Amino acid sequence: MSKKKTQPALGKTLNPATARKISQPVINKDAYWLIILLSILPFIFSRTILDPVIVPRFLLLAAFITGFSVWSYFISKSLPEVSYNKLFIYIFVVGIAFNVWSVICTLPSLNPSAGYFEMVRQWVNLAFLFLVFHIFYNNEPAIIRVSKVFVFISGIHALIGLLQYYGLVFNNLPGSNALPYGLMGNRNLFGSAQVFTLPFLALVWLRCTGAWKNAAAVSGILLAISIVLSQTRSAWLSTLGFFIIVALLLLIFLKPWGKKWLLATGVFLGAGLIAAVLFVSTDKEGTLSSEIRQRSASLTGNSKDSTIASYSINDRITIWKKTLILVKEHPATGVGIGNWKIRINENGTKGLSWAAGYFVPDRVHNVYLHIASETGIPGLLLFCLFGLGIILAAFFTLRKPGIAEDKLIVILMLGGFGSFAVDAMFSFPLERIEHSVYLALMAGIILSIYVRIQPAGAHCLKLPVYIRLALVVIGILGFAIGLSRKKFEENLYMVKGLEQSGNMNDMISYAEAGKTRWVTLDQEGLSLEAKEAIGYRTLKNYPQAIATMKQALVYNPNSPLANNNMGTIYTEMQDFKSAIPYYEKALLLAPDFNLVKKNLAVNYFNLGLYKKTADILQEFDYTTEPMFVDMLAQSREKLKDSTSVDTLNLKK
């Protein structure tokens, strides 16, 4: 394959005022695949699955990898041959090692199937990074064109969030927490998604003129407003981190651009401050102003009240401590991908929102602790070494004499990389597909510039056929696993609705239809078997209910809800002795779960364990329920008439 003619270098002077204007850039046709992907990805979602955005966007990404790899490597053969140097090879070897290690850690885990989707997703992310590198290699105009796409993406998304917050339009978009969550289904991830578009907006504003420069400025102001409205502390910190990192790098490596960047920083942060003041002053109900004050105070450590913001930080710190215990207990291989939510309850939940049984473990809110808990210290080390390789490539590029515009691009992408590192300390940015895509874009652009400016050495090699085939296989495998998860979530979504309507026969049918060996738990540790067992219990088919619930407990033995429901099946069968161990385990996992306490009281009483009955009734407010008032009175009366001590040989 002959190497394509490269585009001429742009703007050789270090003076930004004299940088050559980019007009009608000629880009590699393969870049249009990427432009189409980025234009569609943030705006697709589904209303018929539990999480409205993860699966649809993952399927699109997997389809892109498959189609693009087949087209570019086997049909058109349009991508250029590249000289891969040592650092480039090191980065992908470490990435592959991390993915392989994740598989090794997960196979012996409590529930390997809980991690299949995430394991495949890691391979998809690595394949996408490799393709991004090839698209941008020797194709600088494509970087600008792709960055222009983000002018529309971030601006439109910010506008959606703004209108959604004030209840004007987009109120029926699916989401799981407080507004605005835009098209992310989660307010925290709405804020971080906006932050990760900053490098591309900044590049358009700094490198383009005229309408594009103005459009980038408008989009940047809307973005600042949306970040304020997101009320997401991790997004605020990562935004600040981005501007600080870029400013420092410009002062060190590209001083002439410093003044322009300080202007951009002032405009953006000023817009954010003005937006905060404006929205707070017009907030008649005081909700927004109160939340912003609380969250700002919690960042500085000056919050001394019992507000939701303060509670969430205390809750998060407690989760981190319990996750560290999990890391200490499993330092070598962790508990396996997808198994954190299954194992974290084992260390107790006292003092956490999970303790009441209304919520279940879902996220660590710290990517590094999450990785360490699921893949051990070696997994975290490989993850950090992979990121370090990208950072080294960026610094080697900045230290090498070269074109100012190349260095500017690298600095902005490295700033975005840094903002991700900050956000990952307090949130869960790797959860969403578009976050991973944006991160891969930043890393791929850095690598493409780094490899392009390096002289060809003895360690260069051509892309072997087996690597090209591997990319296609990864895409196909990702799409297949994505379809399995789609099937699982669609049926679980229907099952939840049918449970509420009381249609148990259809509920059981949908549960059976949604089962797949590749996906057994949703993000919150819920299985179709757990719901199916409730259906059988309601229909009084107790043997089938027990068998199905036992399978649910195999998938997630530390679910308070599943243990409580198993106990309820035995209670309805009047097998009180068999029910009690499940209730006691549920209470151990969720010590403030009052429903479990009530169930235990009923079972203790029916077995004549009056002291245990009286003790458990003291742990919740029983006075509003006559049945428990009478139960306590009878228990105390029985205890007066008997000198016996409660004994019961319970076998789990």
Side-chain angles (χ1 to χ4, degrees):
M1 186 188 302
S2 60
K3 189 177 294 186
K4 288 197 168 188
K5 185 178 179 181
T6 60
Q7 298 297 322
L10 299 174
K12 295 180 180 295
T13 175
L14 288 177
N15 184 357
T18 61
R20 185 181 302 174
K21 176 182 176 181
I22 303 171
S23 60
Q24 298 181 342
V26 178
I27 69 172
N28 191 314
K29 291 182 180 179
D30 292 301
Y32 287 108
W33 283 72
L34 186 58
I35 289 171
I36 293 171
L37 172 71
L38 296 174
S39 300
I40 298 174
L41 187 71
F43 301 107
I44 62 170
F45 61 89
S46 172
R47 298 182 184 276
T48 61
I49 55 178
L50 293 176
D51 190 295
V53 299
I54 291 181
V55 173
R57 296 176 190 180
F58 179 77
L59 285 171
L60 178 61
L61 180 60
F64 168 84
I65 290 172
T66 305
F68 182 82
S69 298
V70 170
W71 170 260
S72 297
Y73 289 125
F74 295 100
I75 298 177
S76 69
K77 299 182 180 179
S78 55
L79 289 180
E81 294 179 357
V82 183
S83 297
Y84 305 99
N85 58 29
K86 286 182 178 180
L87 181 57
F88 180 90
I89 294 173
Y90 154 83
I91 289 170
F92 280 92
V93 167
V94 171
I96 292 170
F98 173 71
N99 289 351
V100 170
W101 181 252
S102 297
V103 174
I104 293 171
C105 294
T106 302
L107 292 180
S109 67
L110 203 60
N111 182 359
S113 61
Y116 289 160
F117 177 80
E118 288 302 323
M119 284 190 291
V120 172
R121 181 177 164 179
Q122 289 176 184
W123 288 101
V124 167
N125 289 340
L126 192 64
F128 181 70
L129 172 60
F130 190 80
L131 295 180
V132 167
F133 161 78
H134 267 236
I135 290 171
F136 288 130
Y137 180 75
N138 268 347
N139 195 11
E140 185 189 16
I143 299 175
I144 303 298
R145 184 69 63 88
V146 166
S147 297
K148 289 178 179 178
V149 173
F150 283 95
V151 173
F152 292 102
I153 290 175
S154 58
I156 292 171
H157 204 186
L159 193 59
I160 289 173
L162 176 62
L163 296 173
Q164 185 185 61
Y165 182 81
Y166 284 100
L168 299 175
V169 256
F170 307 116
N171 301 321
N172 62 345
L173 290 175
S176 59
N177 59 357
L179 296 173
Y181 45 73
L183 286 162
M184 294 296 158
N186 180 284
R187 190 173 70 179
N188 288 25
L189 295 168
F190 168 73
S192 57
Q194 291 295 81
V195 175
F196 298 154
T197 65
L198 275 171
F200 307 98
L201 282 182
L203 181 59
V204 174
W205 189 80
L206 289 169
R207 286 286 303 274
C208 298
T209 59
W212 279 110
K213 188 180 190 70
N214 295 332
V218 171
S219 187
I221 292 172
L222 288 172
L223 187 145
I225 294 171
S226 68
I227 292 174
V228 170
L229 288 181
S230 75
Q231 302 164 51
T232 305
R233 289 162 293 199
S234 60
W236 295 347
L237 289 173
S238 58
T239 300
L240 190 60
F242 170 75
F243 282 101
I244 291 175
I245 291 169
V246 173
L248 290 175
L249 291 174
L250 285 174
L251 289 174
I252 296 171
F253 297 105
L254 215 58
K255 289 183 180 179
W257 289 90
K259 292 182 180 179
K260 203 167 187 179
W261 182 250
L262 290 176
L263 174 62
T265 302
V267 170
F268 186 87
L269 298 181
L273 180 61
I274 292 171
V277 172
L278 179 63
F279 288 119
V280 166
S281 64
T282 57
D283 180 24
K284 296 180 180 180
E285 297 180 359
T287 304
L288 178 62
S289 58
S290 175
E291 289 191 0
I292 288 179
R293 282 198 305 271
Q294 291 170 17
R295 292 175 183 275
S296 300
S298 66
L299 281 175
T300 60
N302 294 323
S303 180
K304 299 179 181 180
D305 54 16
S306 58
T307 60
I308 294 176
S310 300
Y311 179 77
S312 68
I313 279 195
N314 294 331
D315 208 38
R316 198 164 300 176
I317 291 173
T318 304
I319 293 170
W320 292 348
K321 289 179 179 178
K322 292 185 180 298
T323 303
L324 279 171
I325 294 174
L326 207 60
V327 174
K328 290 178 181 178
E329 292 174 347
H330 308 273
T333 59
V335 297
I337 298 293
N339 279 253
W340 174 88
K341 59 179 174 283
I342 300 174
R343 303 295 296 269
I344 191 63
N345 273 352
E346 293 175 348
N347 294 316
T349 59
K350 192 67 178 177
L352 291 168
S353 56
W354 309 336
Y358 299 112
F359 304 100
V360 294
D362 52 357
R363 305 175 180 100
V364 184
H365 282 266
N366 185 302
V367 169
Y368 311 105
L369 283 177
H370 197 165
I371 291 173
S373 67
E374 293 192 338
T375 62
I377 302 301
L380 177 61
L381 182 62
L382 287 170
F383 179 79
C384 293
L385 287 175
F386 178 80
L388 180 62
I390 304 294
I391 294 170
L392 286 175
F395 276 101
F396 288 156
T397 303
L398 293 175
R399 292 185 63 185
K400 193 177 183 67
I403 301 170
E405 279 77 2
D406 283 344
K407 293 186 177 183
L408 176 64
I409 293 171
V410 168
I411 286 173
L412 292 174
M413 298 304 133
L414 192 56
F417 213 71
S419 71
F420 174 88
V422 172
D423 190 81
M425 294 180 66
F426 308 101
S427 189
F428 36 94
L430 282 178
E431 178 180 293
R432 286 293 186 264
I433 304 301
E434 58 281 348
H435 289 57
S436 300
V437 166
Y438 297 167
L439 184 66
L441 282 174
M442 299 172 201
I445 289 172
I446 290 172
L447 286 178
S448 68
I449 295 175
Y450 164 73
V451 173
R452 174 165 55 82
I453 66 173
Q454 300 300 314
H459 296 277
C460 64
L461 53 87
K462 295 182 179 179
L463 189 64
V465 174
Y466 66 84
I467 292 182
R468 304 180 191 189
L469 288 172
L471 293 169
V472 176
V473 170
I474 289 171
I476 293 173
L477 181 60
F479 195 80
I481 296 293
L483 287 177
S484 293
R485 179 157 174 169
K486 180 175 181 288
K487 171 187 173 183
F488 176 89
E489 290 199 9
E490 283 179 339
N491 282 276
L492 186 53
Y493 180 86
M494 290 297 298
V495 163
K496 285 187 171 184
L498 291 166
E499 181 185 17
Q500 293 177 355
S501 67
N503 189 341
M504 296 301 158
N505 287 311
D506 285 349
M507 172 182 165
I508 292 171
S509 297
Y510 275 100
E512 282 293 328
K515 291 179 183 178
T516 166
R517 62 179 296 186
W518 303 109
V519 183
T520 55
L521 297 175
D522 73 346
Q523 283 182 298
E524 297 181 342
L526 181 66
S527 67
L528 282 166
E529 285 78 6
K531 289 296 185 182
E532 185 180 12
I534 293 173
Y536 283 124
R537 189 199 80 201
T538 305
L539 295 173
K540 310 299 182 185
N541 186 347
Y542 296 119
Q544 191 63 47
I546 290 173
T548 310
M549 190 60 79
K550 282 184 177 179
Q551 184 59 53
L553 287 170
V554 168
Y555 290 145
N556 189 354
N558 297 319
S559 167
L561 287 171
N563 279 280
N564 176 70
N565 287 333
M566 179 64 104
T568 302
I569 294 170
Y570 282 115
T571 299
E572 291 187 7
M573 296 172 63
Q574 298 190 357
D575 186 354
F576 306 116
K577 186 176 179 179
S578 296
I580 286 177
Y582 291 101
Y583 287 134
E584 289 183 338
K585 182 170 183 180
L587 196 60
L588 182 67
L589 298 168
D592 298 329
F593 201 168
N594 286 339
L595 177 61
V596 176
K597 294 176 182 178
K598 293 176 182 179
N599 289 333
L600 266 174
V602 171
N603 282 262
Y604 286 150
F605 184 79
N606 279 289
L607 286 170
L609 302 174
Y610 301 118
K611 186 176 186 307
K612 286 180 178 290
T613 304
D615 289 344
I616 199 70
L617 285 171
Q618 303 302 313
E619 295 187 18
F620 65 92
D621 183 11
Y622 63 89
T623 59
T624 59
E625 300 183 57
M627 181 184 78
F628 292 113
V629 173
D630 182 61
M631 190 181 292
L632 181 60
Q634 290 188 52
S635 297
R636 286 174 173 172
E637 191 65 30
K638 294 284 186 181
L639 288 170
K640 288 180 182 178
D641 297 339
S642 174
T643 57
S644 64
V645 179
D646 287 350
T647 58
L648 182 62
N649 182 23
L650 295 174
K651 293 183 179 180
K652 293 187 179 181

